[in-house]
């Protein structure tokens, strides 16, 4: 009667949501300051002042009918020009406004690109750990997700495993760097190796294999790490960008797709993106927030707090004996579950009022995700609990 | 390589867009005041003051992290409670907040509902004239659009044609009242007849046939016309509502779905809606605009201007000899093309600097759509041109 796979999908309560709601219950019981909730990936710093200033300026001074009216489906031309100029200056690319399509954030960027390029039985490679919604988005296109296990401990790409996974059905590869949930950033060398391999395979199979880069965490990197801009390394690239984390606007749903101008038949690729957006019901991204982006193009939220949190959490947890992946970016610490069972470990953590997320749904059983997009004080206050949890395994 | 149907879709320049751009060119040539553009269905009145006040209040006084953060996928619980109460008070229904799912406007409401209920080879009935995007949205689900011709001249439902179109594959019927582009509103009697027929057919075929009501124009009715609230007439109803026209916010993409609580397995239906939203990449509707709706729940833009425009245009055009459908709602006048060929008629209209839209793509060849969401002065100034156009056919 109803679409069965979607009924099922709609009924699955996300594990993260369950933990979040347990947290709220527990906070009511013992006081919010005594519960250490590290479950949610919601930015903990406000949007920069420039965002609110831009909104107020637009509302007060921009013609209402134009401000809140439809933009063209691919986004306002002036906004796309501003974004193209910004990208070109920063990454030395030659992107035109008509290579850019404004979207309602990263999830819609991904569904639009997947619908534009993936057909039934095509395969899309992702690397563990990966955002589980990739599978949800791909399923509706009839394509198949193929998970390639990353290297142990470092969670860098296992090039042999990657090569073995590519076959003639491979249509796309998703790169999510900085990675949710591992925080890993791929180096230039890694990217070059991956792209060389893909070019070789494109020739071998006689059709393009697209790189889809999922980049909501691009701006969240620490220690002067460079995140390679994929369009400069590989022609058949779609960039899926979002301002959710960069400007702390996750609920406003604003981002964009770049279709590399060097892609084979780039005009068709862009048309497929426009067609997919239309078929999925995306009329245009919020007209007001498009213009907010235009005004705040080179600003970010104050993300320095995330580095403070990362250092505090990483240094203390490794010292306590936890095995942690060193996160170059994003706002997650990826930690091996003591005792190896992530669910058991998270249950035990709850006894110490620590709310962590088992990473099984990211394709990496035995690991947990700790979101450090929280107040620094929460980390400081939680350290004794982390210590007790570790000790309970070291007895 | 790319999804062919979507490449094609992305390349089709909409006819309305073509006319719009011709209009811009022509305005540059002869002055904007000499071109009478009736092509675009963009509200011409600003959002009410309460909307801008709400935005500024939220930005200044609401916690930024909460204001711009994710809401739950189905929408903020307080916002949904406000909407449910509003609907219940107005239409005497018993809708719960958990029957409501916040969306990015009518197009996304429709794609989500279609994905939730339509499977491959299912049929969905629409009545001419109909919004051509219905076909685009349905195609991605694998379902088929079945167009039922409405009664000549009145464009009311032809009940015999409707009954003949229903078969065991019929899964849904779309009602768009007030209608784009005819302006027709279905009376209580019409709705009752349709629902009786559908209940009979549900029994005959042993499965539900869903009513999907596309309601962006619900508030735009004149002369104290009542638009029946379908949930009170038929249990298996999905309401697809949008604030685009009511609050003059088409570019902000905000609306909702109501899953009738009386629907068979309403819990599964709601789960299918949630699952579809997730699979299509809709994470949540804009968190800020959800709260704007909460604050402006019983306001509308000043739509009185549309009635002034309708009367002016309808009265003058019928007097000149045009055959017009009397529009009870929306902001379109649906006019029979003199000479019967709508494209030819629109080309001829251009000679008088009148920009009209041929309605062939709405499934009604021989008719044109005249959008009267324009400044009243434009209509006054255009009347002599309409008169000359009519005279050119009456010679």
């Amino acid at each position: 009667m109803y679409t069965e796979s979607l009924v099922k999908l709609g009924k699955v309560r996300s594990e993260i949501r369950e933990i979040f709601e347990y947290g709220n219950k527990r906070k009511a019981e013992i006081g919010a300051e005594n519960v250490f909730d590290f479950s949610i990936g919601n930015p903990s710093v406000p949007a920069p002042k420039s965002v609110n200033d831009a909104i107020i300026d637009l509302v007060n001074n921009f013609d209402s009918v134009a401000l809140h009216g439809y933009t063209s489906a691919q986004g306002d031309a002036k906004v796309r020009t501003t974004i193209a100029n910004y990208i070109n200056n920063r990454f030395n690319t030659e992107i035109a406004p008509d290579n850019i399509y404004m979207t309602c954030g990263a999830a819609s960027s991904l569904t639009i690109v997947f619908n534009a390029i993936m057909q039934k039985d095509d395969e899309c490679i992702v690397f563990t750990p990966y955002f589980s919604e990739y599978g949800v988005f791909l399923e509706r296109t009839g394509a198949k997700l193929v998970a390639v296990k990353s290297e142990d401990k470092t969670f860098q790409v296992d090039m042999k495993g990657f090569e073995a996974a590519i076959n003639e059905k491979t249509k796309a590869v998703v790169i999510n760097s900085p990675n949710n949930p591992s925080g890993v950033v791929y180096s230039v060398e890694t990217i070059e190796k991956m792209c060389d391999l893909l070019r070789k395979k494109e020739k071998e199979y006689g059709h393009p294999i697209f790189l889809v880069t999922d980049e909501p965490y691009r701006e969240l990197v620490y220690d002067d790490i460079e995140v390679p801009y994929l369009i400069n390394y590989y022609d058949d690239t779609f960039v899926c960008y979002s301002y959710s984390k960069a400007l702390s606007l996750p609920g406003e749903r604003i981002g964009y797709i770049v279709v590399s101008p060097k892609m084979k038949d780039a005009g068709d690729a862009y048309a497929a993106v426009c067609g997919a957006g239309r078929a999925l019901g995306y009329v245009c991204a919020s007209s007001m927030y498009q213009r907010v982006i235009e005004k705040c193009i080179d600003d970010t939220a104050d993300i320095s707090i995330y580095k403070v949190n990362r250092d505090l959490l990483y240094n203390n947890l490794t010292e306590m004996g936890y095995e942690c992946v060193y996160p170059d970016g994003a706002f997650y610490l990826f930690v091996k579950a003591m005792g190896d069972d992530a669910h058991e470990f998270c249950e035990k953590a709850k006894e110490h009022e620590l709310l962590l997320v088992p990473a099984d749904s990211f394709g990496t059983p035995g690991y947990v995700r700790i979101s450090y997009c929280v107040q620094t004080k929460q980390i400081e206050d939680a350290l004794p609990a982390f210590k007790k949890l570790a000790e309970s395994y070291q007895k």
Side-chain angles (χ1 to χ4, degrees), chain A:
Chain A
M1 192 154 83
Y2 308 108
T3 307
E4 216 181 298
S5 59
L6 297 179
V7 174
K8 212 179 284 176
L9 186 62
K11 282 192 174 172
V12 177
R13 283 175 67 87
S14 116
E15 194 160 35
I16 296 175
R17 187 89 207 153
E18 298 268 8
I19 297 168
F20 176 73
E21 288 187 3
Y22 168 85
N24 284 343
K25 203 184 110 232
R26 195 67 186 135
K27 282 172 195 168
E29 287 167 8
I30 63 168
E33 70 285 6
N34 298 313
V35 180
F36 312 118
D37 188 346
F38 295 97
S39 64
I40 300 283
N42 208 5
S44 56
V45 296
K49 187 172 171 299
S50 63
V51 164
N52 284 356
D53 289 350
I55 293 173
I56 290 173
D57 182 41
L58 286 165
V59 163
N60 283 334
N61 302 315
F62 203 92
D63 172 60
S64 170
V65 170
L67 177 62
H68 300 303
Y70 296 112
T71 69
S72 70
Q74 65 263 52
D76 179 79
K78 248 182 92 213
V79 174
R80 287 183 290 117
T81 302
T82 301
I83 294 174
N85 290 341
Y86 176 78
I87 296 173
N88 291 337
N89 285 334
R90 181 165 166 197
F91 301 112
N92 201 24
T93 46
E94 291 185 9
I95 291 161
D98 279 351
N99 301 128
I100 293 176
Y101 180 95
M102 301 301 297
T103 67
C104 298
S108 72
S109 300
L110 288 165
T111 52
I112 289 170
V113 168
F114 286 155
N115 276 272
I117 61 174
M118 305 301 290
Q119 285 106 53
K120 197 169 168 347
D121 300 327
D122 284 346
E123 294 184 2
C124 178
I125 291 176
V126 304
F127 301 94
T128 65
Y130 63 89
F131 185 43
S132 56
E133 295 299 280
Y134 295 155
V136 172
F137 300 158
L138 284 166
E139 197 194 330
R140 286 302 282 172
T141 70
K144 201 180 130 192
L145 178 146
V146 175
V148 170
K149 203 173 161 294
S150 294
E151 282 180 355
D152 279 344
K153 298 188 179 178
T154 64
F155 291 96
Q156 288 286 339
V157 177
D158 172 3
M159 291 301 297
K160 277 192 184 157
F162 181 29
E163 178 155 15
I166 303 172
N167 64 52
E168 60 181 358
K169 289 185 180 171
T170 307
K171 190 72 169 287
V173 176
V174 175
I175 289 185
N176 173 223
S177 165
N179 181 274
N180 168 13
S182 75
V184 164
V185 174
Y186 293 161
S187 66
V188 169
E189 295 91 296
T190 300
I191 294 296
E192 282 178 340
K193 271 190 216 162
M194 293 175 80
C195 294
D196 285 344
L197 176 60
L198 286 174
R199 273 185 290 269
K200 195 183 90 178
K201 293 290 181 178
E202 281 193 326
K203 266 195 193 154
E204 189 177 331
Y205 297 120
H207 64 74
I209 302 175
F210 299 104
L211 262 190
V212 179
T213 79
D214 178 21
E215 309 209 332
Y217 296 99
R218 167 167 285 280
E219 317 309 337
L220 276 63
V221 284
Y222 317 109
D223 313 322
D224 295 320
I225 289 283
E226 187 205 347
V227 182
Y229 200 67
L230 272 292
I231 282 183
N232 288 329
Y233 294 85
Y234 192 74
D235 290 352
D236 294 328
T237 295
F238 293 90
V239 176
C240 296
Y241 188 85
S242 163
Y243 291 96
S244 290
K245 272 69 180 183
L247 286 174
S248 285
L249 294 173
E252 307 302 357
R253 315 308 304 142
I254 185 84
Y256 60 78
I257 296 163
V258 186
V259 179
S260 171
K262 294 184 279 182
M263 189 177 296
K264 196 163 174 342
D265 298 329
D268 277 12
Y270 190 77
V273 163
C274 294
R278 199 171 147 190
L280 297 176
Y282 292 102
V283 173
C284 63
S286 159
S287 46
M288 189 194 81
Y289 277 103
Q290 287 187 48
R291 292 173 177 110
V292 169
I293 296 305
E294 188 187 355
K295 285 175 172 277
C296 305
I297 186 72
D298 53 6
D299 206 357
T300 65
D302 176 13
I303 57 178
S304 63
I305 188 79
Y306 298 136
K307 180 174 152 50
V308 171
N309 288 358
R310 181 202 61 173
D311 292 343
L312 184 66
L313 199 60
Y314 179 84
N315 293 338
N316 278 281
L317 263 59
T318 47
E319 196 165 299
M320 292 174 194
Y322 290 98
E323 192 182 315
C324 310
V325 183
Y326 185 75
D328 284 318
F331 43 43
Y332 307 106
L333 190 64
F334 205 52
V335 179
K336 196 161 184 329
M338 288 179 172
D340 287 336
D341 182 317
H343 278 92
E344 221 174 84
F345 179 74
C346 289
E347 281 307 308
K348 215 155 187 178
K350 271 189 196 167
E351 294 171 15
H352 303 274
E353 313 302 346
L354 291 168
L355 307 185
L356 319 178
V357 174
D360 299 57
S361 66
F362 292 92
T364 44
Y367 276 81
V368 299
R369 184 183 88 169
I370 304 179
S371 297
Y372 55 79
C373 44
V374 298
Q375 301 302 313
T376 307
K377 187 172 182 314
Q378 180 183 315
I379 299 176
E380 289 163 351
D381 292 350
L383 289 176
F386 277 112
K387 191 154 177 59
K388 276 186 210 152
L389 176 62
E391 284 168 356
S392 75
Y393 280 92
Q394 288 153 350
K395 272 171 199 160

